[in-house]
Amino acid sequence: MQRMLLTLLLAFAVGAVLGKLLLPVLHRLKFGQNVYELAPESHKKKQGTPTMGGLVIAGAAILTALVMNDYSEPLGQNMLLAMLLMALGNLCIGFADDMTKIRRGKNGGLTPKQKMFFQTILALAFSTYCYFHPQVGSVIEVPFLRVQWDLGILYIPVMMFIIVGTTNSANLLDGLDGLLTSVSMVDFLTLAVLAAAAGLSGLGAGCAALCGGCMAFLMYNAYPAKMFMGDTGSMFIGGAVVAAAMLMRQPLILVLIAFWMLMSSVSDIIQITYFKATHGKRIFKMAPIHHHFELCGMHEVKIVAMYMVTTAALCALTLLGVL
């Protein structure tokens, strides 16, 4: 536990320094956010705010985790390195998406087909890795019921679906100042506790580093945001969250700890399906659902606080169901 706490504090310190160094660089390079044309009116003033700040979270987490990693176990079975590689792979997809948007000067990066292709390849690789890992395999834990399900070879396609769904859901949740950052901070702290309780100290240290990185980035990302994480950060976070849960054989806890990520995707799917079925009618004023709350008159800060408190409660429930 002391190692985890030290890792968290070190990642926070590294992230705080990286943020201070990166912010003026992003300004000089003019790597600004291109606001979606149909976004709420209050978002128009965010046009040009530096993006790709997710490099702060990734840099702080990766540097700190590598320093604190236990290299005594075989590299091929090192869960911390596996989680970081999974997250880094997703970061590369997000980075390519952000750079495409910046070059085009509008809110449109990689095409859905391009994104899905790379995400599918990455999901297949990581699911296969977990399937053959001696401490993971095809078995998943069912929280609260305290039983195990052996999915057999179906483990790979099922986990691929969960990986792609979670990473895209994290991307959708990144729509308000500090929203994904604050929610993820709570998620990674919960995952760190679960990993430590399962005897996976290296993985726990990695999750603690991610929590510390999010804490540091929140100083720049809280309302009013000085810097956005971009797809670079949201894809990195989504990949890390789902990788940690899978390596602990706990992918089902994502329903609780990643509840608002899930709701972002669900609300988007409902909105699109209903819109097409009714030829133009909408259930929500705007999707994902955090924009609906915003257009109903809730301030960004209040929405973020609501999401964070709800996530904390669900994470506490998760700990009760697993520990």
Side-chain angles (χ1 to χ4, degrees), residues 299-320:
H299 193 276
E300 283 189 54
V301 175
K302 188 173 182 180
I303 297 171
V304 171
M306 177 180 72
Y307 273 47
M308 188 175 179
V309 170
T310 307
T311 299
L314 291 172
C315 284
L317 181 63
T318 299
L319 292 175
L320 289 175

Side-chain angles (χ1 to χ4, degrees), residues 189-271:
L189 182 59
T190 304
L191 289 167
V193 173
L194 290 175
L200 306 173
S201 58
L203 187 61
C207 292
L210 285 157
C211 178
C214 287
M215 288 172 62
F217 184 65
L218 194 58
M219 295 192 300
Y220 305 95
N221 188 231
Y223 182 88
K226 298 177 183 176
M227 179 165 41
F228 296 140
M229 69 170 67
D231 288 3
T232 300
S234 61
M235 297 290 287
F236 176 81
I237 286 175
V241 167
V242 71
M246 286 174 60
L247 289 167
M248 287 188 283
R249 293 182 169 182
Q250 296 284 358
L252 296 182
I253 66 172
L254 293 171
V255 175
L256 292 175
I257 70 169
F259 175 78
W260 286 116
M261 293 183 192
L262 177 63
M263 286 301 101
S264 294
S265 285
V266 170
S267 62
D268 217 34
I269 292 170
I270 291 173
Q271 183 85 322

Side-chain angles (χ1 to χ4, degrees), residues 23 25 39 45 52-53 177 200 233 239-240 280 282 285 307 313-314:
L23 185 56
V25 173
K45 62 184 179 183
M52 291 202 296
D177 294 0
L200 306 173
R282 292 176 171 85
K285 292 185 177 182
Y307 273 47
L314 291 172

Side-chain angles (χ1 to χ4, degrees), residues 278-296:
T278 59
H279 305 289
K281 293 183 179 180
R282 292 176 171 85
I283 291 181
F284 307 110
K285 292 185 177 182
M286 187 175 181
I289 197 169
H290 50 263
H291 289 314
H292 171 79
F293 294 138
E294 192 178 10
L295 292 176
C296 286

Side-chain angles (χ1 to χ4, degrees), residues 72-85:
S72 61
E73 57 184 329
L75 290 181
Q77 297 177 18
N78 192 300
M79 291 187 176
L80 171 57
L81 295 180
M83 179 184 70
L84 293 180
L85 284 173

